[in-house]
Amino acid sequence: MSNKKALREFQSRLAQRLQSVRTTGTAASWLAVEAGSSRLLFPLSHAGEIFSWTDVQKVPYARPWFMGVANLRGGLHGVIDLGSFLQGGDSRPRGESDLAQCRMVALNPLLDINCALLVDRLLGLRTTEAFATSASVGDGAPGYFGHVYTDLDGRPWQELNLQVLSQHQAFLGIGA
């Protein structure tokens, strides 16, 4: 019950911040999350609704990072452990208490894929003013990696283009 209350409070604070952004004219660009050991930035136009952990029905013979299928507000969504996917596909064992702290970020319905990304923590909204520098990723980086931003404390943040990710062969289970 406390997890639902905490999520509602977070969503309320997020809604208040979005409203203040609209009235002050400063546009939030990203939803900041932590997945595995990575700090990630999701473009707000690509991210959808945020959900607490719910039961996920496992799917046989799926990739290790594909956790299964969940009913999220009446729609079936594939659930991807984003940290595992980004770190080479090995699954990370998690207990129920660990999963209770995680959140699922559904992709925007406009991307036309019923998918939710399991992230370890939500870290709020970020604007370009939160970062000191940005740089392009290296040549060997996946196509869904956007710029790497460095915040004012010197920590790196990787932007993920969720639209490109949702069509990537490895994400769809087609490639290696």
Side-chain angles (χ1 to χ4, degrees):
M1 190 63 152
S2 64
N3 287 337
K4 287 183 181 182
K5 183 178 179 184
L7 180 60
R8 284 189 190 118
E9 289 173 2
F10 176 78
Q11 287 175 329
S12 175
R13 288 192 312 271
L14 191 58
Q16 288 171 349
R17 285 187 65 190
L18 285 171
Q19 183 59 36
S20 72
V21 163
R22 286 186 194 111
T23 59
T24 62
T26 305
S29 299
W30 301 282
L31 174 64
V33 303
E34 187 176 279
S37 60
S38 303
R39 288 184 190 85
L40 304 168
L41 300 169
F42 296 165
L44 287 180
S45 61
H46 297 178
E49 194 168 353
I50 298 168
F51 297 92
S52 294
W53 174 255
T54 187
D55 288 331
V56 173
Q57 297 301 311
K58 295 194 181 299
V59 176
Y61 308 110
R63 305 283 178 163
W65 42 263
F66 186 80
M67 299 189 74
V69 179
N71 180 346
L72 303 176
R73 243 189 243 288
L76 292 178
H77 288 69
V79 178
I80 308 299
D81 182 341
L82 185 58
S84 293
F85 176 81
L86 293 175
Q87 294 170 0
D90 294 333
S91 62
R92 297 182 297 156
R94 297 179 185 209
E96 282 300 315
S97 62
D98 294 332
L99 289 170
Q101 302 302 315
C102 294
R103 297 292 177 254
M104 294 186 284
V105 179
L107 298 186
N108 188 312
L110 294 175
L111 298 181
D112 203 27
I113 185 167
N114 287 355
C115 178
L117 303 173
L118 183 75
V119 298
D120 296 306
R121 291 183 3 183
L122 297 174
L123 300 173
L125 298 174
R126 297 292 190 274
T127 63
T128 54
E129 290 81 24
F131 300 101
T133 64
S134 71
S136 298
V137 293
D139 291 335
Y144 48 83
F145 277 9
H147 284 83
V148 176
Y149 292 87
T150 304
D151 66 19
L152 301 174
D153 295 325
R155 294 176 300 205
W157 294 79
Q158 177 64 60
E159 181 182 31
L160 279 187
N161 183 323
L162 299 182
Q163 183 174 17
V164 173
L165 175 68
S166 71
Q167 300 305 311
H168 195 270
Q169 286 189 344
F171 187 81
L172 295 172
I174 298 170

